[in-house]
Amino acid sequence: MIPTLWRLLAGRTFAAFATALIPTTLTLAVVGTGSAGDLGLVLACEMVPMLVLLPVAGVAADRFPARRVVLAADLVRAAAQLAVGVLLLTGPVRVPALAALSAVTGAAVAFGTPAARTLVAAVVAGPERLRANSRLMVAQGLASVAGPGAAGALMMGIGAGWSSLLTGALFVCSAVTLGGLRTPHRAPAGDRPGFLAELREGWAETRRHPWFLANVLGHGVWHLAAGLLLTLGPLIAVESLGGEAAWVVIAQAGTAGMLAGAWAAGRLPVRRPLVWVAVASAAFGLALAALGLRLPTPVVAAAYFLGLGGVGLLSPLWETVIQQRVPAGALGRVGSFDTLISFAARPLGLAVAAPLAAVAGTTGPLLAAAVLVAAANLGVLLVPDVREHREREHTFALR
């Protein structure tokens, strides 16, 4: 029998790779219509339900067994992608239908995200969680890197329709792999308070953790700044750093840093994980400042390596801290607020980057973002429970 940890890792990797295939496949399929508005509509129809339904999904993740919620979410995503494949194979691109299926996919993502966090906490013992989260981050990072290239190759080799059918099959593999995991028994829904009461209880539990709220604010600023960097970075590289090849080098350095940070997270001697999280988050300011000052490409690449290395390091640590400190019965609801801020802030950064650059240029916004990222995340260290609390030795044990 496959060990639980490896089954969890395989299932989440299937889902991550399938998720990474979707944007490129849809983009290349819809762009053939010649309308940027069509592409924006399809992508927005996935994002909006995701944001709206996250609080509801947090309640579901706490009310029902995590494996069942993840199973249902993966099967819904599989059905949506299989339907997309059939649509693309049987006729011209039909934007309204693709938009509707994107909305279904976004709703499923909303329900699957907090449930995935509770699933890890339910099936992995406390001392093993950091190593598990580190491995999951590495696997998901590799999948996100490979996904766009694989989607492009599939598009050229077999077409968008077959690529979407393969994506649906990968979600089925995830559902089958994770659906059999055993999780602790949950109280039947009839024994629990109503939805609104549970939502209020989740917010009350969230407010009980100042360390959580402070970090979520800092992470929101980070995601906002990442949206600025991803929009303005390529422009600066093309205009001032030697062209498109410079941005490719910088982006690859960042990817390598993220994977290295995630790999290191499960192997470092961590006693105050939230201090590590704060410093690692603030490191992203290095990349923002280097780009804003238009430093030479090798320097920007090194700064981006360190900045995304911090992201790779903090993600497993942050997941593990939440899973350890938040009561299991409220983990989905509390975690959904974290995800909501993250999902909302980056599109906002992407949206405001170009207008800001048109008014103030690229240097000012990036340097201001660097200062804000450093201040918001290092400011978390002012919270006593962040800098004074030491995790019990067995909690972050290294294996």
Side-chain angles (χ1 to χ4, degrees), residues 115-211:
R117 178 178 276 152
T118 60
L119 182 64
V120 174
V123 303
V124 181
E128 298 289 343
R129 283 178 187 160
L130 178 56
R131 179 61 63 87
N133 283 320
S134 176
R135 289 174 175 171
L136 286 168
M137 179 65 185
V138 170
Q140 291 167 9
L142 289 171
S144 67
V145 171
L154 289 169
M155 282 284 296
M156 291 185 291
I158 60 177
W162 290 106
S163 178
S164 293
L165 291 179
L166 175 61
T167 302
L170 287 171
F171 280 125
V172 171
C173 290
S174 174
V176 171
T177 304
L178 298 177
L181 290 173
R182 293 187 177 184
T183 56
H185 176 72
R186 292 288 183 87
D191 298 338
R192 303 174 69 97
F195 167 77
L196 290 179
E198 287 202 79
L199 193 61
R200 287 192 296 268
E201 288 175 3
W203 176 240
E205 180 63 33
T206 302
R207 292 172 58 191
R208 287 186 55 245
H209 303 285
W211 59 268

Side-chain angles (χ1 to χ4, degrees), residues 11 29 38 48 54 58 69 71 73 79 82 105 131 142 145-146 158 186 206 237 255 290 294 318 320 334 363 373 392:
D38 287 345
V48 172
L54 266 170
V69 180
L71 173 66
L82 293 173
T105 299
R131 179 61 63 87
L142 289 171
V145 171
I158 60 177
R186 292 288 183 87
T206 302
T255 299
R294 289 174 167 74
W318 177 241
T320 305
V334 173
T363 298
V373 166
R392 294 190 300 273

Side-chain angles (χ1 to χ4, degrees), residues 45-152:
C45 281
E46 180 175 351
M47 179 62 66
V48 172
M50 192 189 309
L51 295 175
V52 172
L53 291 174
L54 266 170
V56 180
V59 174
D62 289 333
R63 177 174 285 208
F64 304 107
R67 64 180 178 83
R68 293 184 182 176
V69 180
V70 172
L71 173 66
D74 281 345
L75 289 178
V76 170
R77 287 198 283 180
Q81 291 307 304
L82 293 173
V84 168
V86 171
L87 279 174
L88 294 176
L89 286 172
T90 56
V93 174
R94 285 162 276 182
V95 172
L98 289 179
L101 291 170
S102 290
V104 173
T105 299
V109 171
F111 280 89
T113 300
R117 178 178 276 152
T118 60
L119 182 64
V120 174
V123 303
V124 181
E128 298 289 343
R129 283 178 187 160
L130 178 56
R131 179 61 63 87
N133 283 320
S134 176
R135 289 174 175 171
L136 286 168
M137 179 65 185
V138 170
Q140 291 167 9
L142 289 171
S144 67
V145 171

Side-chain angles (χ1 to χ4, degrees), residues 9 12 17 29 43 65 98 116 139 150 163 173 204 207 216 225 242 256 258 283 289 306 308 335 372 397:
L9 182 62
R12 296 306 299 156
F17 187 60
L43 297 179
L98 289 179
S163 178
C173 290
R207 292 172 58 191
V216 167
M258 182 182 65
L306 294 174
L308 286 192
L372 286 174

